[in-house]
Amino acid sequence: MSAERGRTVQVGGERLGRGSRVRLRPRGSADVMDLALTGRTAEIDAVEEDLEGRVHVVVTLDGDDGRDFRTGLGHRFFFTPEEVEPLAQGPAGPRILIAGIGNIFMADDAFGTEVVAALRGRSFPDGVHVADFGIRGMDLAYRLLDGYDVAVLVDAAPRGGEPGTVRLIDPGPPHGPAGDGTEEAEAGEGAGRALPQAHGMDPVQVLALARQLGGGAAALPRILVLGCEPRVRMRGDEPDVVVGLSEPVREAVPRAAQMLESLVGELLSDPECELAGSGTGVGR
């Protein structure tokens, strides 16, 4: 199949494309797996055309935790345009990604994963997507190219402070103004200092990969980091795994979740707003 990021299809008088929301109405001739999805709501991930010129609508299901596994096909479903029903899109607004990252087998490195778990029972407005990416760097790189205005990476971030200190870090824009490249290099160096590199998912490399996949830094959203100072720092080559957060980092999880709720409110009002708490310690 061939796919273009801007490809759309006309359905019921509406032009649908990546990001459009639909209700699934598989035909009676569909296989049993597709029929089981009748009535489910979904988001269009792509509109693709096969070698015979037939158009397929590729969707991810609402409420499917596996929708962020972008490097596999297990959570993407294919329907014909006649099998999807457009849903009212509602007023367009900022889109925000909250991405938990970290390794659950490396003690305090699991901070981001635990914060996302704490957010599961909380309600966020439309346009806010919360997901645990663990150490799946490729999946996060693809998700960063989905048209979000802001992405908040939640992770352990060793910066020499007291364990359990939670900081909001604004590394600055992913690219500098046009010129001799000095500004871009300086911005990249700043991001490298701000973003944690303690586990298999190196956020700096993820951002570089996303820039490469998207054709340049302009494709990326504004990047923020909500980081927690770890007590237990592991390199990844230890003979034993350590499951569970240290006490000060565990106590920081609900504070971080509360901070994210407030932060989302600010960013929905203005995705480019200057954040007063950026780069400062909060909590301990």
Side-chain angles (χ1 to χ4, degrees), residues 95-119:
R95 299 182 66 225
I96 299 171
L97 172 66
I98 299 175
I101 57 181
N103 192 326
I104 62 172
F105 299 113
M106 292 176 59
D108 288 344
D109 196 61
F111 173 75
T113 293
E114 292 295 335
V115 171
V116 167
L119 292 174

Side-chain angles (χ1 to χ4, degrees), residues 60-214:
T60 57
L61 299 176
D62 289 348
D64 179 6
D65 289 337
R67 63 184 297 191
D68 296 299
F69 287 82
R70 306 300 298 278
T71 51
L73 294 177
H75 294 267
R76 300 168 77 236
F77 301 88
F78 292 71
F79 293 89
T80 67
E82 295 76 22
E83 293 179 308
V84 299
E85 172 188 316
L87 292 177
Q89 302 303 312
R95 299 182 66 225
I96 299 171
L97 172 66
I98 299 175
I101 57 181
N103 192 326
I104 62 172
F105 299 113
M106 292 176 59
D108 288 344
D109 196 61
F111 173 75
T113 293
E114 292 295 335
V115 171
V116 167
L119 292 174
R120 291 297 186 193
R122 307 194 185 200
S123 177
F124 287 96
D126 291 340
V128 179
H129 181 53
V130 181
D132 174 22
F133 288 89
I135 57 173
R136 294 180 287 110
M138 181 69 77
D139 288 327
L140 177 56
Y142 277 114
R143 180 56 79 177
L144 288 173
L145 299 174
D146 273 358
Y148 290 97
D149 297 282
V150 186
V152 184
L153 310 184
V154 187
D155 200 357
R159 293 169 64 86
E162 183 178 357
T165 300
V166 180
R167 294 182 177 90
L168 178 62
I169 305 165
D170 186 351
H175 61 296
D180 60 4
T182 303
E183 298 87 349
E184 182 168 351
E186 292 174 349
E189 290 171 0
R193 289 192 298 270
L195 293 168
Q197 302 182 46
H199 47 60
M201 180 196 277
D202 180 340
V204 175
Q205 294 183 9
V206 169
L207 293 176
L209 174 61
R211 282 197 294 267
Q212 182 179 357
L213 293 171

